[in-house]
Amino acid sequence: TSETHHPLYAHQGVNPIDAAETIAARLREWTADLADRHSHPGVERAAGTSAGMFVSDVQVDNDERPVFQLPKQCTMRVVLAFPPGASLQTVEDGVRHTVDEAATEAGLSRVALRRGDHLADSSEASPDTSVVKSMRASVETVTGTEPTLYYGHTASDIRYPMQYWDAPTVGVGPRAG
């Protein structure tokens, strides 16, 4: 801004916190669209939606900047969950496109997008596999009640045997009945 220490002139610059808010809003819209395009009835039963997103952290350049100065940069961390059927590549491409569009809309000259370290496709075992059928029958025999398939853990560690060894995998817990 022409006068960096006065909020009356803040409109001459771009506040990266406001830009982060624009990006977060656009990512929420994109996530809702992803949930619609890759609707998964089991995940929706568990969570009420097929995809989810939240902003987990927002930080500005440093703590030593005077309160009356606009920050020069802002870092925002976002967590996404998506259902089986939506590939990691689809999600990454969608996030990149959405962030780029939102950054342009917010008047940013530069945005860096970095992947986190907890990334993998969601997975599910087909209910028609013998291991799932056997487990369902066992739970029903023991409890006298048909178990409920729970899809809230499609991105937990249980997916690794499915993804890396094509092994149908089942977890049993209190939500199974």
Side-chain angles (χ1 to χ4, degrees), residues 10 20 24-25 28 31 57-58 70 79-80 82 100 102 107 111 118 126 130 132 153 160:
R28 282 187 200 93
T31 302
D57 191 26
V58 178
L70 284 176
V79 180
L80 290 162
F82 55 95
D100 287 346
V111 172
H118 299 287
S126 170
S130 61
V132 174
H153 289 178
Y160 294 125

Side-chain angles (χ1 to χ4, degrees), residues 17-40:
I17 297 172
D18 295 339
E21 183 179 336
T22 298
I23 292 170
R26 291 290 301 275
L27 282 171
R28 282 187 200 93
E29 292 169 7
W30 174 83
T31 302
D33 182 57
L34 178 74
D36 290 342
R37 284 185 288 118
H38 295 277
S39 178
H40 189 287

Side-chain angles (χ1 to χ4, degrees), residues 19 22-23 26 98-111:
T22 298
I23 292 170
R26 291 290 301 275
T98 302
V99 168
D100 287 346
E101 279 188 346
T104 300
E105 176 185 322
L108 295 178
S109 59
R110 174 179 64 166
V111 172

Side-chain angles (χ1 to χ4, degrees), residues 146-170:
E146 184 179 347
T148 302
L149 297 178
Y150 177 69
Y151 291 90
H153 289 178
T154 58
S156 71
D157 290 348
I158 200 169
R159 73 184 180 273
Y160 294 125
M162 291 183 269
Q163 290 182 359
Y164 297 117
W165 303 298
D166 199 25
T169 308
V170 177

Side-chain angles (χ1 to χ4, degrees), residues 53-102:
M53 171 259 173
F54 65 86
V55 175
S56 64
D57 191 26
V58 178
Q59 296 179 357
V60 293
D61 44 16
N62 63 46
D63 292 335
E64 296 173 20
R65 178 185 43 80
V67 69
F68 49 78
Q69 285 183 345
L70 284 176
K72 291 186 169 84
Q73 64 182 11
C74 178
T75 301
M76 177 175 61
R77 294 180 183 187
V78 175
V79 180
L80 290 162
F82 55 95
S87 72
L88 182 57
Q89 189 63 53
T90 296
V91 171
E92 287 183 332
D93 291 347
V95 166
R96 165 61 63 195
H97 179 75
T98 302
V99 168
D100 287 346
E101 279 188 346

